[in-house]
Amino acid sequence: NYNEACVTHDLCYSAASFTPRDVCDANLVLDIISEFVDAHPTNSFRDQMYRYRGLQIARTYYVGVWLFGRREYEGSESPQDPSIPPEH
């Protein structure tokens, strides 16, 4: 289950985020892989296959957010200086 990685990625794409989109997407990959490694920590053949599956899923999700996530990203790449009025 890699739901937590998706929730974190959604938050990273939110309007409250100051994280650049490419960093959000890279972190999604790392978080998915990490969840599979944590869930399948041994060197058994079965756990290795699950970790490999996690890598494949992470790659697929990365391509998906890279191709189609631009419209969904609402964050800004740097905090707005409160002394500067927003542009209209």
Side-chain angles (χ1 to χ4, degrees), residues 21-78:
R21 180 175 166 244
D22 60 334
V23 173
C24 295
D25 296 346
N27 285 341
L28 174 64
V29 170
L30 295 174
D31 290 346
I32 290 173
I33 292 169
S34 178
E35 288 189 24
F36 273 85
V37 168
D38 290 347
H40 306 284
T42 72
N43 282 328
S44 71
F45 180 75
R46 181 179 176 172
D47 277 1
Q48 289 179 32
M49 293 304 298
Y50 276 115
R51 288 194 303 268
Y52 181 71
R53 180 173 179 245
L55 178 60
Q56 291 174 319
I57 289 170
R59 287 178 179 170
T60 301
Y61 272 63
Y62 178 80
V63 170
V65 295
W66 182 75
L67 289 174
F68 305 110
R70 182 171 304 187
R71 290 182 303 173
E72 303 303 321
Y73 179 75
E74 298 175 347
S76 61
E77 298 198 4
S78 62

